[in-house]
Amino acid sequence: MQVELLYHTPDPERAIATAARLCYAPVGASELMETMPEERVKSVLTTIMASGHFSTLEHASFTFAIDGVSRALTHQLVRHRLASFNQQSQRYVKFQEGLPYVKPRSIAEIPEADDLFEDIMDAVSATYARMLELGIPAEDARFILPNAVETKIVTTMNARELLHFFEVRCCNRAQWEIRELAHQMLALVKPVAPFIFMDAGASCVRMGCSEGKMTCGDPYPKVVRN
Ligand SMILES: Cc1cc2nc3c(=O)[nH]c(=O)nc-3n(C[C@H](O)[C@H](O)[C@H](O)COP(=O)(O)OP(=O)(O)OC[C@H]3O[C@@H](n4cnc5c(N)ncnc54)[C@H](O)[C@@H]3O)c2cc1C
């Protein structure tokens, strides 16, 4: 899996603080953006995070390039309705050089399972190639492709959606591949907006486990803002 933060709102924390301050200021956002002292930005962000005035977090967005993940992952990712997506098309992009795929470690670790997996991938790859040779359009040949097939996707999420995404997908209950993705995305945004994402992560990090009886019983230590 390769995950890159392609671009983001410049100075995202100042942008968010500006939007929040505008609600109570006699001057415009442009002036606030330019003149608000750094300490004021911090204190406004502290108030936002404590009060739940989270609509302000929607003014900063982050765009990620995600390569080398499975279709099983992207099927889960695109369930996040407040994010934006564009994904490599299986209608227009043909796998001419064999099928790239993601293999779960649980399968790779058991030689017999690994052999079975490789055999089926070889068979799918050969059948897919033959379908294309027979003139079957890629949009139909893809019907035989498994969840393991690799894909590429670009996603943009605002800071509010990212906090939610991290809550549910950094959680130990999330499926391993999307959990790995969420942790990589979190590591990429933390240096860019350290105050906003200070205590981002699974819900247990921010507010306590939300998984009830399904809890992993291994909550992260709570981060205290000061
Ligand atoms: C551990 C785990 C297991 C899962 N298992 C399954 C499963 O077995 N089957 C399955 O189908 N899905 C499953 N999912 C997916 C899950 O049901 C959600 O579709 C996915 O996590 C997206 O979350 P969301 O809807 O909260 O967030 P988003 O779509 O990212 O939306 C963010 C928030 O915006 C608000 N929102 C968004 N759209 C609406 C709306 N239309 N109306 C009101 N409020 C809205 C909600 O507050 C929502 O939490 C699983 C997810 C996880 C993390």
Side-chain angles (χ1 to χ4, degrees), residues 32-217:
L32 289 167
M33 188 80 186
E34 275 177 27
T35 60
M36 212 185 327
E38 209 41 50
E39 315 79 69
R40 189 74 181 116
V41 169
K42 291 270 155 51
S43 71
V44 172
L45 292 176
T46 303
T47 307
I48 291 170
M49 300 312 282
S51 67
H53 190 188
F54 291 153
S55 62
T56 55
L57 300 176
E58 296 167 18
H59 294 288
S61 61
F62 302 80
T63 299
F64 302 86
I66 301 163
D67 291 358
V69 293
S70 71
R71 279 254 166 182
L73 181 150
T74 57
H75 192 78
Q76 298 172 82
L77 183 63
V78 300
R79 294 291 301 278
H80 290 278
R81 294 158 289 179
L82 305 187
S84 307
F85 302 101
N86 283 96
Q87 181 164 15
Q88 184 183 59
S89 168
Q90 289 182 340
R91 296 183 69 202
Y92 302 114
V93 178
K94 298 174 185 164
F95 298 109
Q96 307 279 22
E97 309 293 330
L99 278 182
Y101 54 81
V102 174
K103 188 193 298 179
R105 193 181 305 148
S106 63
I107 293 176
E109 282 173 355
I110 297 175
E112 186 183 346
D114 192 61
D115 288 346
L116 290 167
F117 188 88
E118 292 290 336
D119 288 349
I120 199 78
M121 288 301 165
D122 287 348
V124 170
S125 195
T127 307
Y128 175 81
R130 186 69 192 131
M131 295 255 185
L132 295 181
E133 279 170 13
L134 292 171
I136 307 293
E139 69 175 17
D140 292 342
R142 70 174 165 167
F143 273 60
I144 66 163
L145 299 181
N147 275 330
V149 164
E150 254 186 39
T151 184
K152 304 180 201 310
I153 193 164
V154 170
T155 182
T156 299
M157 298 189 194
N158 65 46
R160 185 181 198 174
E161 176 64 0
L162 267 178
L163 287 173
H164 172 73
F165 177 75
F166 295 144
E167 269 173 27
V168 292
R169 301 300 184 177
C170 288
C171 173
N172 284 339
R173 287 258 304 125
Q175 182 260 344
W176 63 267
E177 194 184 12
I178 197 165
R179 188 171 68 238
E180 183 181 328
L181 170 68
H183 280 288
Q184 288 202 34
M185 288 166 62
L186 177 54
L188 288 167
V189 294
K190 260 197 173 171
V192 177
F195 207 80
I196 298 293
F197 294 111
M198 179 191 299
D199 60 357
S203 63
C204 57
V205 181
R206 306 188 66 216
M207 62 192 81
C209 180
S210 55
E211 287 297 317
K213 278 195 294 191
M214 308 292 267
T215 183
C216 68

